[in-house]
Amino acid sequence: MGIENFPEQLRAAIQQGFLAREFETGLNARLGFRAVADREIFPNAIGETLTKTRKSLKAPVVEPLLPSGNTNFDNGLSPSGWSVEQYTLSINQYGDTIDLNMVTTGVGIASQFLANAQTNGFQAMQSLDRLARNALFAGVPGGVGGYLGGNTRVTATATAKTTTIAVDDIRGFQFVIVSGLVRPVNASPGMTVTVGSGVYTLIAATADQSNVSTAPGGISGQLQFSTGVSVADATTGNAVVAATAPLVLRPNGKRSTADLRHADGDTLGIQHVLAGVASLRRNNVPMINGAYNCYLDDLQLLSLFRDADFKYLYRGAYGSEEYRSGQIIELLGVRFVPTTEAPQQASLGGGPIHRALLLGQGALVEGDCACIGHTDIPDAERALIEMVDRVAMVTREPLDRLKQIIAQSWYWIGGFALPTDVTADVSIIPTATNAYLKRGVVIESLGTDAAGFGL
């Protein structure tokens, strides 16, 4: 572009890469949920939805071939294929801008120029990190739900045996996977769901017209079953769990979020994290650079430091930088990542709810549009575009009537998806669980402050 169209005091910053460096400093300010995503480049346009298919493995062969059958051209062998499963990814555009008025900024224009770039970079990082977080916890439209899906509770006690119950969140109950395809739940084949202590077949899930869910991003609604649910099961507070739901761990074996109580000591401990690790390993989930990532907020991290088992395991490391700064790098195959982006939930009677998320490789897919940063305008006439971590930073010369206002913007075109692992069943991995989403575990707990009081 014509660098001469910018003020003299800004040209050095642009030519020497200071602008992109400040933007990148903000963009990479900390490790976030986006870090676990496997990135793919997609050629789709904005607003389109892409359906991706991936194949399964084949079950091991443990029976020998019969010598008598080793004849003809097939040698007694019958062809067997592999299964497929699909996930969808929607491509959308996100971005924002900030103006720099060269006249009102005065002598500080250069520093303000760089400060705007860093602020834009941090905003872009936080925006993409939150999109990734929302996809992990809440799922994506048309999907099987996120890692909180399929785990809810009854919100209204039935007065008699009924086929329809009210629940706090219908995510994870709306769709089933049939022959690798995601389809709305219906009578055929239905979904196996445990309500209270009974097991029923779900045939429909309907959202309320007015959403009153207490879960982060939740959708309140009605679940309809093929047979009547008993009053004992359809009682307010009873857990409702789909057979295909991801694992949600709670202290002391609590079955629903509303059951957590400070009086019972329902705070995060190292044993809950290790139970999550065991589940990931049972499903043969790969690690991320040698460890599983555990995202948690500072109050859960504080509870962890107060846990007796954690103190025992971390004995001898009290003088380490990680312990002194209140952060843990890696322990027992887990990389603890403190974050302020963990979903918060108001108290349901026992105290505010905190959620840690333990993830392995492949839990999230990020789709970046191939056209990010593309333009057909010649370089001499277009705005300055810098690509940083697949995010476009656009700096536009003054085009207003008084030639005073420089526009500094960023945008990203893409989306996030949660691949399922339905085909990784017990025939291939004997210890595999029945969950659609196997590469993450949510740990719900209450928090603890520095004095040991519940928060």
Side-chain angles (χ1 to χ4, degrees):
M1 65 167 292
I3 193 77
E4 68 278 0
N5 293 327
F6 285 88
E8 179 67 30
Q9 56 266 54
L10 301 184
R11 295 176 192 173
I14 296 174
Q15 290 172 326
Q16 298 178 36
F18 289 156
L19 189 62
R21 195 177 309 166
E22 289 298 314
F23 187 82
E24 187 172 10
T25 299
L27 195 66
N28 298 322
R30 60 177 175 171
L31 181 65
F33 291 100
R34 188 189 180 202
V36 305
D38 295 333
R39 299 191 186 182
E40 298 185 31
I41 304 297
F42 293 105
N44 294 58
I46 301 172
E48 292 187 7
T49 298
L50 180 69
T51 299
K52 295 282 288 184
T53 301
R54 66 177 183 178
K55 68 180 184 65
S56 71
L57 299 175
K58 294 173 64 177
V61 176
V62 295
E63 296 294 334
L65 297 175
L66 296 176
S68 59
N70 190 5
T71 59
N72 301 323
F73 291 107
D74 58 13
N75 299 107
L77 298 173
S78 298
S80 64
W82 34 262
S83 302
V84 298
E85 52 187 305
Q86 295 182 337
Y87 64 92
T88 59
L89 190 148
S90 297
I91 302 296
N92 295 293
Q93 181 169 229
Y94 305 87
D96 201 3
T97 188
I98 187 171
D99 288 337
L100 175 66
N101 192 306
M102 296 183 295
V103 174
T104 58
T105 303
V107 294
I109 182 174
S111 59
Q112 185 65 40
F113 189 54
L114 297 178
N116 286 351
Q118 187 180 53
T119 300
N120 274 350
F122 189 86
Q123 183 191 33
M125 177 277 298
Q126 192 174 23
S127 299
L128 269 63
D129 193 59
R130 190 163 295 185
L131 289 171
R133 179 205 71 178
N134 291 346
L136 286 165
F137 280 98
V140 295
V144 295
Y147 282 96
L148 277 179
N151 282 273
T152 188
R153 67 185 187 281
V154 180
T155 56
T157 299
T159 56
K161 193 173 185 179
T162 178
T163 57
T164 302
I165 63 172
V167 296
D168 184 62
D169 192 0
I170 63 171
R171 292 174 304 176
F173 300 96
Q174 297 166 287
F175 299 94
V176 293
I177 297 179
V178 181
S179 301
L181 303 177
V182 179
R183 298 177 179 175
V185 66
N186 52 44
S188 178
M191 176 188 290
T192 301
V193 176
T194 300
V195 182
S197 59
V199 179
Y200 304 90
T201 300
L202 178 70
I203 59 174
T206 306
D208 290 338
Q209 290 186 350
S210 178
N211 187 12
V212 294
S213 176
T214 61
I219 305 172
S220 63
Q222 311 286 319
L223 299 182
Q224 182 181 354
F225 298 91
S226 59
T227 57
V229 180
S230 68
V231 174
D233 290 332
T235 299
T236 300
N238 278 353
V240 182
V241 182
T244 55
L247 179 61
V248 176
L249 294 174
R250 302 179 185 90
N252 299 310
K254 297 298 178 66
R255 296 195 61 195
S256 80
T257 308
D259 291 338
L260 297 175
R261 294 288 185 275
H262 275 294
D264 299 334
D266 293 337
T267 55
L268 181 66
I270 192 64
Q271 294 301 328
H272 310 130
V273 179
L274 295 180
V277 170
S279 177
L280 295 181
R281 288 176 173 166
R282 286 179 63 201
N283 287 302
N284 199 28
V285 177
M287 291 183 170
I288 303 170
N289 297 325
Y292 294 118
N293 281 10
C294 182
Y295 297 94
L296 72 172
D297 64 39
D298 290 308
L299 291 181
Q300 280 192 310
L301 182 62
L302 187 56
S303 298
L304 193 63
F305 274 110
R306 297 176 62 86
D307 180 61
D309 289 338
F310 172 81
K311 291 179 180 179
Y312 181 81
L313 291 169
Y314 214 62
R315 181 175 295 173
Y318 290 107
S320 68
E321 177 61 30
E322 295 87 2
Y323 205 95
R324 289 199 303 269
S325 64
Q327 295 187 9
I328 312 164
I329 301 302
E330 290 185 8
L331 178 67
L332 300 175
V334 179
R335 181 181 301 109
F336 292 87
V337 185
T339 176
T340 57
E341 291 295 317
Q344 304 295 298
Q345 182 175 344
S347 173
L348 296 175
I353 312 301
H354 301 262
R355 291 181 174 89
L357 181 58
L358 188 65
L359 296 170
Q361 184 178 343
L364 185 68
V365 170
E366 175 184 325
D368 296 314
C369 184
C371 60
I372 301 176
H374 173 76
T375 178
D376 292 326
I377 303 175
D379 288 348
E381 301 177 13
R382 68 181 175 89
L384 175 65
I385 299 178
E386 294 274 2
M387 293 296 298
V388 180
D389 200 14
R390 297 302 304 168
V391 179
M393 179 186 64
V394 183
T395 307
R396 191 195 67 193
E397 65 181 89
L399 296 178
D400 56 300
R401 289 181 175 86
L402 301 179
K403 299 288 285 185
Q404 294 179 356
I405 300 174
I406 295 173
Q408 295 175 258
S409 312
W410 67 269
Y411 75 91
W412 175 74
I413 305 173
F416 292 94
L418 296 178
T420 58
D421 288 290
V422 179
T423 54
D425 56 22
V426 293
S427 66
I428 297 174
I429 305 174
T431 56
T433 63
N434 196 45
Y436 286 159
L437 302 173
K438 296 179 170 67
R439 298 176 186 249
V441 175
V442 174
I443 307 175
E444 291 185 349
S445 72
L446 305 181
T448 303
D449 67 5
F453 296 105
L455 287 176

